[in-house]
Amino acid sequence: MMKTIYLTQEVHLTTPCVATIGFFDGVHRGHQFLIDQLVRIAKERGWASVLITFNRHPRQVLKKDFQPKLLTTFEEKLQLLSETGVDNCVVLPFSEQMAALSAYDFMKTILREQLNVRFLYVGYDHRFGNSRTEGYEDYVRYGKELGIEVVQSVVYPWNDINISSSVVRRFIQEGEIEKAVTCLGHPYSLTGHVVAGEQQGRKIGFPTANILLDNTDKLIPADGVYAVQVHVEDNPTVYPGMMNIGMRPTFGGDHQTIEVHLFHFSEDLYGKQLTIVVKRRLRDEQRFSSPEALREQLEKDEEQIIEQFEQEQ
């Protein structure tokens, strides 16, 4: 079982370890490949395997005018990392002071002196330290002085795609959910609570749950209609449904909403937490000539989704 360690000045690990550093947003197949190698090397040497990550995305600290949207919340990331077989996850409190450390000082004071890193496995494109101008050869040189063996991983292609968090984000932003999930190696989901809406869907026979995301940093897929599976808190049943992300142009909407319709479900959802597993995008959001025309299209959407889910069973 993975142990999560929040780094403070008092933390000093005594067991030698094999470590890697990263934000690990999405914990995608590229990350999983890197971590698998890390765990293997650690077992061969009889040392602990350690993932070093941050409590916040570095850009959230360094570029306050640009707040990146993330593939995983911090809690989701820790859960996914705990499933990799790694021994420890060290969470660094990323701050301007930490960002000001040079690569050498970071390796000396944090990696070697506090975490007892003896083997550092770095991603093929990973850089750390305040200048960002230093690279793998510099880390190797510093490591020789500090007693840390430094080895660089190789790029991990999947179906001719060089997988990275930025590639997965682009797929999701374009509504290419199936491609994103292929790169992630696990489902993509949104979690939020049901809040009051305008109940326009109820009037046409398609009541929807209006979702307010629990974490505003979570990346929302492109506007459109999606096939989804919904987990309702305190309910073991997984419900098929459809989700609309967009402006609700048929009803003159002026802001983006996330609305979910659960098939064959009639209970009250207000205030409930829903986790929505996004399966695939059906179509663009569009403006219909009337609510009746929208209802006809929604009936076709539901029929298509049910048929697809039945084929997958």
Side-chain angles (χ1 to χ4, degrees):
M1 179 180 295
M2 184 185 83
K3 181 179 180 182
T4 302
I5 302 167
Y6 292 85
L7 190 71
T8 66
Q9 291 184 345
E10 290 72 34
V11 171
H12 290 275
L13 303 186
T14 57
T15 301
C17 70
V18 177
T20 191
I21 309 166
F23 189 67
F24 303 113
D25 187 28
V27 194
H28 53 64
R29 290 186 187 273
H31 295 140
Q32 295 164 31
F33 174 77
L34 176 72
I35 295 168
D36 284 347
Q37 304 308 306
L38 176 86
V39 171
R40 177 184 59 79
I41 294 168
K43 287 181 178 178
E44 289 174 352
R45 301 195 175 205
W47 295 344
S49 55
V50 175
L51 299 177
I52 302 170
T53 192
F54 309 101
N55 62 338
R56 292 186 289 175
H57 195 290
R59 289 185 181 178
Q60 291 176 319
V61 176
L62 301 176
K63 297 183 178 180
K64 293 184 172 59
D65 58 337
F66 173 69
Q67 298 300 300
K69 295 299 182 180
L70 305 178
L71 301 170
T72 42
T73 66
F74 181 68
E75 293 75 19
E76 289 170 342
K77 180 172 73 173
L78 287 185
Q79 176 58 40
L80 289 167
L81 291 176
S82 73
E83 298 168 6
T84 63
V86 75
D87 294 318
N88 299 318
C89 178
V90 174
V91 180
L92 306 186
F94 195 84
S95 63
E96 293 182 357
Q97 291 76 18
M98 179 169 289
L101 289 174
S102 67
Y104 178 84
D105 287 341
F106 180 82
M107 290 179 68
K108 180 177 184 294
T109 61
I110 294 178
L111 299 188
R112 187 65 180 86
E113 294 178 0
Q114 283 198 264
L115 301 181
N116 202 11
V117 174
R118 302 294 181 87
F119 187 110
L120 180 63
Y121 200 46
V122 296
Y124 72 95
D125 62 348
H126 185 72
R127 291 177 181 269
F128 55 86
N130 60 353
S131 69
R132 298 285 170 171
T133 58
E134 297 158 302
Y136 174 65
E137 291 77 13
D138 300 297
Y139 307 150
V140 170
R141 188 171 71 254
Y142 302 154
K144 288 180 179 177
E145 180 180 336
L146 297 169
I148 302 174
E149 182 180 353
V150 181
V151 173
Q152 188 174 40
S153 71
V154 297
V155 64
Y156 179 66
W158 180 265
N159 293 343
D160 297 323
I161 299 171
N162 288 340
I163 296 176
S164 67
S165 297
S166 58
V167 166
V168 180
R169 289 190 200 105
R170 187 177 74 248
F171 283 146
I172 291 173
Q173 289 169 329
E174 294 172 353
E176 299 278 4
I177 298 300
E178 290 167 291
K179 289 183 180 179
V181 169
T182 294
C183 293
L184 288 170
H186 56 79
Y188 188 76
S189 64
L190 302 171
T191 298
H193 281 75
V194 180
V195 297
E198 297 180 8
Q199 300 189 349
Q200 298 287 359
R202 187 176 301 276
K203 296 175 184 177
I204 59 173
F206 280 86
T208 59
N210 199 332
I211 306 299
L212 181 65
L213 294 184
D214 290 348
N215 191 314
T216 57
D217 291 336
K218 185 82 176 197
L219 179 64
I220 299 173
D223 286 359
V225 177
Y226 293 83
V228 299
Q229 292 178 321
V230 183
H231 301 256
V232 181
E233 68 169 302
D234 301 325
N235 187 330
T237 303
V238 179
Y239 295 93
M242 55 187 178
M243 172 176 67
N244 185 82
I245 299 175
M247 306 292 286
R248 300 179 303 126
T250 304
F251 299 108
D254 60 0
H255 63 281
Q256 187 188 60
T257 62
I258 302 174
E259 297 178 275
V260 181
H261 172 71
L262 280 64
F263 302 155
H264 314 303
F265 187 91
S266 58
E267 298 175 28
D268 182 11
L269 287 172
Y270 285 118
K272 293 282 190 181
Q273 185 185 63
L274 305 186
T275 296
I276 304 154
V277 178
V278 189
K279 303 296 288 186
R280 66 184 62 85
R281 188 172 186 266
L282 270 67
R283 60 177 175 85
D284 292 338
E285 185 185 45
Q286 60 191 94
R287 185 182 186 278
F288 291 89
S289 58
S290 67
E292 290 74 22
L294 171 59
R295 185 191 69 243
E296 290 178 6
Q297 180 59 53
L298 293 176
E299 289 172 349
K300 295 177 182 177
D301 294 338
E302 179 175 353
E303 183 179 342
Q304 179 182 349
I305 292 170
I306 290 175
E307 182 179 336
Q308 290 175 341
F309 281 156
E310 287 177 347
Q311 290 174 352
E312 294 173 359
Q313 291 178 351

